[in-house]
Amino acid sequence: MSATLTNTGRVLLGMIAEGHATGYAIKAAIDRSTRLYWGASIGGIYPELRRLEQAELVSSRDDFRGGTRRHAYSLTSAGRAALHGWLADPSEPVLEMRHEGLLRLRFAGVLPIEEQVEVVRRMRTVHERRLSELESRLTTEEFDDPLHRLTFEFSVGWNAWARDWCLSAERSLTRRGPRAAKR
Amino acid sequence: MSATLTNTGRVLLGMIAEGHATGYAIKAAIDRSTRLYWGASIGGIYPELRRLEQAELVSSRDDFRGGTRRHAYSLTSAGRAALHGWLADPSEPVLEMRHEGLLRLRFAGVLPIEEQVEVVRRMRTVHERRLSELESRLTTEEFDDPLHRLTFEFSVGWNAWARDWCLSAERSLTRRGPRAAKR
DNA sequence: GTTGCCATGTAAATGGTTACATGATTGG
DNA sequence: CCAATCATGTAACCATTTACATGGCAAC
């Protein structure tokens, strides 16, 4: 039974397809790329790899590096099929966001207007920090895969857009003026 | 002890501050506004309300509507202080995304180029669907609170930006041409 | 009289993060 | 020889989602 492939499992399949063979290497690859829009933490990766192996979507061979035993995973044909099936799946993909900065702004009405602007400013710095980190990586890192680069650029663009939105929100809040307090 | 205020708890405080008194009404208000950037589901709301009450951040009085008992919550002064403290908190706010469309695109390299474009197209329709839903609500619904409107407009803008990004990604993938297959 | 909404609640399962533990290898 | 990195793993915990269950009220 192909049964239930978890979302973390799908990332693993994709990463293994790209040639990242060990749990450790996969984790590093996730941190370099999908973490921005789909995270996975090390504590969940190893058990999930074993589950995938049990489901026969991946196979592993022991690969000794000196005395260190590591598991080198590769896709089975069922795994390749599962990956393709997921990519071509016409069902609505998950899209959700947890944006505490926006959430704070949503409730900032209880604060005086100057502090409301501060809330947006702090929201902006989050996006700016992300943006400058990503932009510097864009120049220093190599992007082997064109789709890795493309999705990376999505993150750059979205953070830039959000920063600009914050700037314009700050202006519109300030324009309302420090004395035009919300009731 | 003010101790640990969970993120769901914070949304509840904010909603109660706005005058949404019952768990049910709070849930409805969340669905109308913060769901886009901070969800909470009904199963978690009632227990969390009781936890907040135990922590003395909110107080409830029984409010009978005929034979239906409902709990009308309001903020205590400690609750108001906790809300203000959170809003003014200079620490880095949470910002994360789960974007399956992007994730699929990240791994779409295993597919032929025409199907890669399809992956982006499906990602675009997600944003388009959201966008048209939000835009229609923008004209029909009333936005009592200006910050409710502002954060709502953020979601509109972000989905529009993402749709445009998809369109340009589709063009750049198509330009690469159906014969320039990825290695 | 029945459908749909208001209203509250619990239990189980899910999915994930964090922290801890271990140990080998590599490079300075 | 020490620190950093490679490598795997487990246990505890956490928040949240889903499903189920109950029942009154309002409108048609």
Side-chain angles (χ1 to χ4, degrees):
Chain A
M1 24 105 200
S2 71
T4 35
L5 183 55
T6 90
N7 293 109
T8 305
R10 294 186 238 265
V11 186
L12 298 184
L13 287 186
M15 286 302 182
I16 293 168
E18 274 197 5
H20 305 282
T22 74
Y24 191 88
I26 290 169
K27 174 58 167 65
I30 289 172
D31 284 343
R32 249 180 288 117
S33 80
T34 71
R35 203 196 29 182
L36 298 159
Y37 41 85
W38 206 281
S41 48
I42 191 70
I45 290 175
Y46 290 110
E48 183 64 28
L49 282 170
R50 289 193 296 269
R51 239 171 288 138
L52 289 176
E53 188 167 22
Q54 242 190 323
E56 293 181 3
L57 298 175
V58 303
S59 64
S60 76
R61 72 204 134 76
D62 276 13
D63 177 16
F64 282 88
R65 177 111 177 168
T68 308
R69 164 178 118 283
R70 54 186 192 179
H71 306 310
Y73 289 93
S74 53
L75 292 190
T76 63
S77 54
R80 226 174 334 265
L83 177 61
H84 282 243
W86 168 57
L87 293 174
D89 186 355
S91 73
E92 177 106 335
V94 173
L95 174 56
E96 42 185 71
M97 211 195 289
R98 303 232 113 191
H99 198 315
E100 194 185 354
L102 258 185
L103 185 64
R104 286 182 187 169
L105 182 56
R106 171 69 181 77
F107 295 123
V110 299
L111 300 175
I113 189 85
E114 319 90 55
E115 288 181 48
Q116 291 181 27
V117 178
E118 260 312 299
V119 171
V120 188
R121 237 193 288 276
R122 278 196 297 274
M123 171 173 160
R124 172 160 56 91
T125 53
V126 175
H127 288 291
E128 275 169 350
R129 244 198 289 275
R130 298 267 171 119
L131 185 59
S132 63
E133 187 223 322
L134 295 177
E135 275 175 341
S136 88
R137 286 176 54 192
L138 203 52
T139 58
T140 57
E141 279 175 35
E142 273 177 56
F143 291 84
D144 35 317
D145 187 302
L147 293 178
H148 177 192
R149 172 176 278 271
L150 189 64
T151 55
F152 194 91
E153 285 168 349
F154 177 96
S155 295
V156 172
W158 128 250
N159 278 290
W161 176 85
R163 175 208 50 196
D164 293 344
W165 184 90
C166 289
L167 281 168
S168 99
E170 283 166 49
R171 276 194 297 274
S172 91
L173 282 178
T174 313
R175 212 179 306 126
R176 218 187 287 170
R179 66 203 170 289
K182 275 194 65 263
R183 49 104 210 160
Chain B
M1 24 114 193
S2 70
T4 34
L5 183 54
T6 92
N7 294 110
T8 304
R10 294 186 239 263
V11 186
L12 299 184
L13 286 186
M15 286 302 183
I16 293 169
E18 272 198 7
H20 306 282
T22 74
Y24 191 88
I26 290 168
K27 174 58 166 65
I30 288 172
D31 284 343
R32 250 179 288 116
S33 80
T34 71
R35 204 196 29 180
L36 298 159
Y37 42 84
W38 205 282
S41 48
I42 192 71
I45 290 175
Y46 290 110
E48 183 64 28
L49 281 170
R50 289 192 297 270
R51 238 171 289 137
L52 289 175
E53 188 167 23
Q54 243 191 323
E56 293 182 0
L57 298 175
V58 303
S59 65
S60 76
R61 72 203 135 79
D62 275 13
D63 177 16
F64 281 88
R65 177 113 176 168
T68 308
R69 164 177 117 283
R70 54 185 190 178
H71 307 309
Y73 289 94
S74 54
L75 293 189
T76 62
S77 53
R80 225 174 335 265
L83 177 61
H84 282 242
W86 166 58
L87 293 175
D89 187 354
S91 73
E92 179 104 336
V94 172
L95 173 57
E96 44 186 69
M97 211 196 288
R98 302 234 113 190
H99 198 314
E100 194 184 354
L102 258 185
L103 185 64
R104 285 184 188 168
L105 181 56
R106 170 68 182 77
F107 296 124
V110 299
L111 300 175
I113 189 85
E114 319 89 57
E115 288 182 48
Q116 290 181 28
V117 178
E118 261 311 299
V119 171
V120 188
R121 237 191 288 276
R122 278 196 298 274
M123 172 173 160
R124 173 160 57 90
T125 53
V126 176
H127 288 291
E128 275 169 351
R129 244 198 288 275
R130 299 266 170 120
L131 186 59
S132 64
E133 187 223 323
L134 295 177
E135 274 174 342
S136 88
R137 286 176 56 193
L138 203 51
T139 58
T140 57
E141 280 176 35
E142 275 178 54
F143 291 85
D144 35 315
D145 187 302
L147 292 179
H148 177 193
R149 170 175 279 271
L150 188 65
T151 54
F152 194 91
E153 286 167 348
F154 177 96
S155 296
V156 173
W158 128 250
N159 279 290
W161 176 85
R163 176 208 50 196
D164 293 344
W165 185 89
C166 290
L167 282 168
S168 98
E170 284 166 49
R171 274 193 299 272
S172 91
L173 283 178
T174 313
R175 213 179 306 127
R176 218 186 288 169
R179 67 204 168 288
K182 272 195 67 255
R183 50 104 208 156

